[in-house]
Amino acid sequence: MQTEKDFAQKIFTDVREMSKSDLGVTRLGYSEKETQVLRYLEKVALGLSMNCSYDEAGNLWMTLEGKHPERPFLMVASHADSVPEGGNFDGLAGIVSGLCAAKAIKESGIQLDCNLNVVAFRCEEQGLIGSRAILGTLTPEDLNRRYRPECKLLGESMQDCGINPQALVQGKAYLNPKDVAAYFELHIEQGPKLEQSSQAKVGLVTGIRGNVFHRAIRCLGETAHSGAIDFEFRHDAVAAVAQLFAAMRAHWIERLKAGDDLVYTNGVVNTPPSQSFNIISGEVTFSLDIRTLSVQTREYFYELFKKEARKIEADFGVRFEFDQAFYIEPALSDEHLINKLESSAAQENIPVICMPSGAGHDAGDIAQEGIPMAMIFIANQNGSHNHREAMRMEDFLSGVQILTRTLKDL
Ligand SMILES: [Zn+2]
């Protein structure tokens, strides 16, 4: 009998080989490569005597039949696609964890009460497309977007894969949330927390952070000669924005000390191309991204940001113009499922820590639809969305052990 480690390792190696690019792997959503990976996974699942089918969005469903197939089912899912020149484990690890669990359950001679569906979602990296399509939340605008300038429109790529995209943007849900008893997703961590933890290499995810973000807030001051204008006559947009960032950083540290879950980022800061070292800048454009598990914290910190901006307007004689704010709601994990995972980990003698997920996942929109959701994170040595991404097999197998026991016990 093939060990779980060999079984998993072979899938990781085969899929890496199938999708390798100059650096790392490239299997873009709704590409031929992604289809090829799904066909391969289907073959693996058939080898475990699972039933395989594709839904309206082309996601692959691999079913281990339970005693009562009519009952709400258990679901273990993640995505088959990757970013360009990305890592092999981001997404794939979650699908393989489900197949490993199915294999272990089958070989232990146990038949679960309900079906176990291991699902390989398509096109997560371009906006959770495969999962949103079957939840009925995909929009016509999504179909008219290009992932990168050289890519086809999403709708065209879907069509090339034999999918009817128009049927997916009518608001119709192909997955009834009531049919899912519990949803699990194992994923590599996309930050360094577990890798740097001396306590645990497996994390239980308490929720996926929501955010409020702006792409381009403008700070307008007065463009002027850097030598000729004394302090009291300046309306320096760069100085104003720098002051705002420093003030928000101090507030952020305060909130962390108070125990809030919060991350704050100004990822883009630009002055106009005509700007030079000897010109006081009259304009700065910058982005804002506030993420947290708590809607209350988000509202509080966003209000604080606007309050600080108003104060700085008065101090510096500048004006802030806010572009449209976008909101993504946080998705909390199901407490009961997290408790189950925690007790499975204790029974398996695997140390775990609880942590939020800063990045979005298919699990997020699944939870938004009211499906009980929980995620397991695995330590990752070199960060995510790059070809150096890494994962130790022993950490992965610890996650699989926790998942398998939980599926059996539910
Ligand atoms: Zn991912």
Side-chain angles (χ1 to χ4, degrees):
M1 205 185 291
Q2 198 180 20
T3 66
E4 206 140 278
K5 185 178 175 186
D6 291 344
F7 173 77
Q9 189 63 66
K10 180 165 167 40
I11 303 176
F12 286 131
T13 307
D14 287 350
V15 174
R16 184 192 295 279
E17 205 48 43
M18 211 177 282
S19 51
K20 73 175 175 207
S21 45
D22 286 348
L23 294 170
V25 300
T26 300
R27 32 181 196 262
L28 299 185
Y30 293 108
S31 67
E32 237 171 81
K33 230 359 117 197
E34 193 197 42
T35 303
Q36 202 187 334
V37 170
L38 294 186
R39 297 274 183 263
Y40 167 84
L41 293 169
E42 180 184 354
K43 237 187 261 170
V44 173
L46 289 172
L48 296 174
S49 310
M50 296 172 87
N51 299 320
C52 294
S53 62
Y54 290 86
D55 63 25
E56 286 74 4
N59 304 306
L60 168 62
W61 288 68
M62 299 166 278
T63 308
L64 184 71
E65 202 166 292
K67 287 181 212 152
H68 304 282
E70 73 289 354
R71 288 193 187 165
F73 53 78
L74 299 172
M75 194 167 166
V76 178
S78 199
H79 59 97
D81 66 322
S82 78
V83 295
E85 303 196 326
N88 195 37
F89 302 117
D90 181 349
L92 182 60
I95 303 168
V96 178
S97 75
L99 290 171
C100 284
K103 177 179 185 293
I105 290 166
K106 187 172 170 287
E107 284 172 359
S108 66
I110 292 171
Q111 193 178 16
L112 297 180
D113 273 346
C114 62
N115 283 357
L116 167 64
N117 280 309
V118 179
V119 180
F121 282 126
R122 300 195 77 145
C123 203
E124 186 265 359
E125 298 289 5
Q126 299 177 34
L128 317 176
I129 304 298
S131 56
R132 283 174 52 218
I134 57 163
L135 291 167
T137 61
L138 205 64
T139 63
E141 292 78 62
D142 289 314
L143 299 182
N144 287 323
R145 242 174 246 143
R146 272 174 229 281
Y147 179 44
R148 296 197 298 173
E150 71 276 18
C151 291
K152 288 183 180 178
L153 296 176
L154 174 66
E156 291 170 352
S157 303
M158 286 175 133
Q159 236 156 4
D160 289 351
C161 293
I163 287 150
N164 174 11
Q166 291 311 324
L168 301 173
V169 294
Q170 311 297 327
K172 181 179 171 195
Y174 293 94
L175 174 66
N176 181 353
K178 291 203 165 46
D179 290 341
V180 189
Y183 174 100
F184 295 96
E185 183 165 352
L186 176 145
H187 203 281
I188 52 160
E189 192 207 346
Q190 291 170 292
K193 202 169 192 162
L194 286 167
E195 186 49 26
Q196 289 184 9
S197 165
S198 54
Q199 219 184 321
K201 298 296 165 200
V202 178
L204 303 182
V205 178
T206 47
I208 300 172
R209 286 176 179 147
N211 61 344
V212 52
F213 68 93
H214 284 269
R215 288 202 165 87
I217 299 172
R218 295 209 305 161
C219 176
L220 300 170
E222 203 170 88
T223 307
H225 193 292
S226 68
I229 309 295
D230 286 343
F231 185 88
E232 62 268 38
F233 303 116
R234 290 183 178 223
H235 304 287
D236 185 337
V238 168
V241 166
Q243 178 69 37
L244 177 61
F245 291 174
M248 291 315 293
R249 187 176 161 81
H251 286 308
W252 181 19
I253 292 168
E254 253 170 55
R255 293 325 308 159
L256 292 179
K257 280 186 187 149
D260 285 357
D261 174 64
L262 180 68
V263 283
Y264 168 88
T265 309
N266 303 107
V268 177
V269 185
N270 285 316
T271 52
S274 58
Q275 193 53 34
S276 157
F277 78 95
N278 57 1
I279 302 174
I280 299 165
S281 183
E283 182 180 341
V284 175
T285 307
F286 62 95
S287 64
L288 168 70
D289 184 11
I290 298 170
R291 295 190 187 217
T292 162
L293 284 177
S294 151
V295 173
Q296 214 182 341
T297 303
R298 180 180 73 186
E299 294 318 309
Y300 172 81
F301 207 68
Y302 185 40
E303 279 311 312
L304 198 58
F305 177 84
K306 288 195 275 194
K307 202 169 115 195
E308 280 297 340
R310 282 194 295 273
K311 205 154 72 176
I312 283 165
E313 281 182 334
D315 286 355
F316 286 77
V318 296
R319 189 160 50 83
F320 286 96
E321 277 183 10
F322 284 73
D323 63 332
Q324 192 189 347
F326 291 91
Y327 293 86
I328 295 174
E329 297 310 312
L332 295 185
S333 299
D334 183 83
E335 239 179 74
H336 170 68
L337 294 184
I338 290 291
N339 290 342
K340 280 275 177 201
L341 289 171
E342 219 165 3
S343 70
S344 298
Q347 283 166 304
E348 298 284 343
N349 278 321
I350 299 167
V352 291
I353 52 174
C354 287
M355 58 193 295
S357 168
H361 297 283
D362 292 309
D365 48 24
I366 288 281
Q368 297 296 358
E369 298 304 309
I371 297 170
M373 170 281 284
M375 288 190 78
I376 300 171
F377 271 178
I378 308 296
N380 163 13
Q381 283 72 55
N382 300 318
S384 175
H385 283 189
N386 74 65
H387 69 277
R388 293 173 55 248
E389 169 211 281
M391 176 182 77
R392 287 188 205 93
M393 210 35 138
E394 68 210 71
D395 299 336
F396 169 74
L397 292 171
S398 295
V400 169
Q401 239 174 298
I402 297 170
L403 176 67
T404 306
R405 183 178 271 270
T406 305
L407 293 170
K408 281 182 184 170
D409 289 353
L410 272 174

